[in-house]
Amino acid sequence: MTSLSTLFARDPHPPRSEASSSAVSPSASPATTAAGPKPASRSLSASPQAQALPPRSSSGTHPASALSPRDAALGVARWKQELQRWCDADPHRAQQSHSRRFAGLPAWGRRSGAGKPGHELPLLAEQRETAMQRVLECHAQGADGRELDLQWLSLSSLPPGLDRLPHLEKLDLSNNIGLFTVPEELARCQNLCSLSVRNGLVAQVPASLFQLPNLETLDLSANPHLTALPDAVAQSPRLRTLQLSHCNLGRLPQGIADMPALQALDVSHNLELHALPPGLLGGKVALSLKGTPAALMDSLLQPLLSSPAQRAGWQATLTALSDNWQKSRPALQPGSPGRAAMDQARSALSLHLRTDRAGSEAAWADADAAVQGWLSEGLPITGERLMEIGWRLNGQPAGGAQLRATEVQAIPAGKNGMEPAVAEHLDYPRAGSLPGHLDALAQWLGAGSSTAASAPAAVERSALLYRALVSLRPFDEGNAPAALMAMDWALQRQGLPPVADGGGAQVAAALADAAVFPSAGPSEAPQALFAAVVQGMKETQRTASGG
């Protein structure tokens, strides 16, 4: 490695003679060397999106190119002095740690450089001299100084004057746990194409970063304190790859789906990301959602796969069912024989679905009375009302409506039905993710119109609501009965009958098998559940009419 004294003495931009300087365009870069002008910028991928992009901006040429050779040399000398002052101001020369975040960590030591016995720094000590040396080496390379690696240096700030590297295209600041924000001065590095700030404690990203005209790749993965991106990310003109895996994002900017150049977005393993901006799913962007609540909700709410002919058949069947239900409703007043028979069949199905055998007809009647009241008032389905349904079905336990606080695994039986297949255990969603899941579910319900466009669409949304609730398992007990009551509410809101089982247990079997587990991979479209719901509505109609 070149010594610091040599780098300080070296200037890759020597003063030019009057003749040579007059032959060069005033707009030429000061980094032009005797080896010739800067090579042409790298071309983008030959994809249609890339071909449609404007040419890369060259506005990053350092303004010193307009200065006289003497003034340019003076500017470089002052910059090197500024670098030395930054290096001398290293807080670890006076103390072990620069942040209270690390005050409790062991004071492990490590050697800073081979061949220097006895010269040890704390584990978190900044290595500013190494950073300064790498910056000066990049500067000394002139037009070839396109990449700068400042990884693993525990930096809390950047060396000053990185914008004096006019050809810098790729910068890696990963594994610097002293950086709590992406430095705003990077917005002056106008030729920067690739920036990586992985595996750190970054919590903020400045909006100015997305004004860089040539930025194509940004990697902010594995920053657990990063909870949001500025809305300005949608204004980035050339950003093609955005990597945000293993952060703690709770939302994405609304305009991210409309970014002109974005081709790949990785938000995998963001455990608080429950919903996505409209247009992002199924759009032109290659999206990675693995390990996010949004991936689970997307899987749970997959629509039915059906042909126009199937839809037409369902429409005819359900329209007739709805018409018959509306005609029979006047005879189903509370206390009537038809209403009593219907409620008995519905309550029996609800109790059949309970695995703890702790339910009661009285608790079911209490929950149904609450739902009937909400129906009469025209109130929408919300997360709070879904929680109240579960609370009432569980006998109104002390403490009010509460979500599950424990983690639950389901271990299916082995092939012979006796021995548990422990290796095939299935996890329910994390308890901490339940509030966000219910909010996302409520948003999905609210996104639909108060009256569905068609009877098949109403049944489909109601069945998906049931599947989502039994899969989320929001309560300690009684999840399937609560999901059934919520589905019945959704059906009745659309003028359709609730669901009962005629005694053959076919409807109950389909409902009991509807749960989807995050660890089981993508789920199938709920055709069997849809058919069971239709059959259950027919059973309710038959029971209520005395058939």
Side-chain angles (χ1 to χ4, degrees), residues 174-224:
S174 301
N175 301 290
N176 282 290
I177 56 177
L179 291 177
F180 304 140
T181 181
V182 176
E184 193 160 6
E185 57 262 36
L186 291 177
R188 297 195 294 269
C189 299
Q190 295 287 289
N191 277 340
L192 197 62
C193 299
S194 174
L195 174 62
S196 179
V197 198
R198 294 172 53 89
N199 195 29
L201 298 175
V202 168
Q204 291 183 329
V205 182
S208 58
L209 186 70
F210 300 102
Q211 298 175 5
L212 285 171
N214 297 308
L215 187 63
E216 299 171 5
T217 300
L218 177 61
D219 189 351
L220 299 171
S221 302
N223 281 287

Side-chain angles (χ1 to χ4, degrees), residues 57-113:
S57 169
S58 59
S59 58
T61 304
H62 198 275
S65 58
L67 300 176
S68 68
R70 174 182 172 83
D71 289 341
L74 278 174
V76 171
R78 289 168 181 164
W79 170 52
K80 291 181 177 180
Q81 292 174 356
E82 189 178 356
L83 276 171
Q84 186 61 62
R85 286 193 296 270
W86 172 80
C87 188
D88 293 340
D90 184 352
H92 291 94
R93 296 192 175 190
Q95 58 185 6
Q96 277 196 345
S97 177
H98 62 272
S99 171
R100 286 179 296 175
R101 296 196 188 194
F102 311 118
L105 293 180
W108 296 305
R110 72 174 175 199
R111 298 188 185 282
S112 61

Side-chain angles (χ1 to χ4, degrees), residues 343-365 392-395 466 478-482 484-485 488 499-501 508 511-512:
D343 287 352
Q344 177 63 36
R346 293 180 59 208
S347 175
L349 176 58
S350 178
L351 292 173
H352 179 81
L353 291 174
R354 288 199 75 120
T355 58
D356 60 352
R357 301 292 184 258
S360 68
E361 291 186 1
W364 180 90
R392 290 179 180 273
L393 283 169
N394 284 323
Y466 175 87
N479 290 279
L484 176 61
M485 184 69 73
D488 285 348
V499 170
D501 200 341
L511 294 176

Side-chain angles (χ1 to χ4, degrees), residues 421-484:
V422 178
E424 299 177 4
H425 75 274
L426 300 170
D427 295 326
Y428 285 97
R430 294 182 309 113
S433 70
L434 291 174
H437 278 308
L438 286 184
D439 287 343
L441 187 58
Q443 291 176 12
W444 173 78
L445 290 168
S449 59
S450 58
T451 301
S454 65
V459 175
E460 179 183 38
R461 289 182 70 83
S462 301
L464 290 175
L465 172 60
Y466 175 87
R467 182 165 79 159
L469 284 174
V470 295
S471 301
L472 294 176
R473 194 183 173 97
F475 313 113
D476 288 320
E477 300 293 347
N479 290 279
L484 176 61

Side-chain angles (χ1 to χ4, degrees), residues 299-343:
S299 176
L300 293 177
L301 302 177
Q302 282 291 328
L304 288 171
L305 302 176
S306 58
S307 65
Q310 285 177 311
R311 288 275 174 179
W314 293 338
Q315 180 68 44
T317 299
L318 294 173
T319 298
L321 184 61
S322 177
D323 291 344
N324 291 334
W325 172 249
Q326 296 302 322
K327 292 176 183 178
S328 63
R329 286 187 66 184
L332 298 176
Q333 298 302 315
S336 65
R339 177 64 176 269
M342 181 185 71
D343 287 352

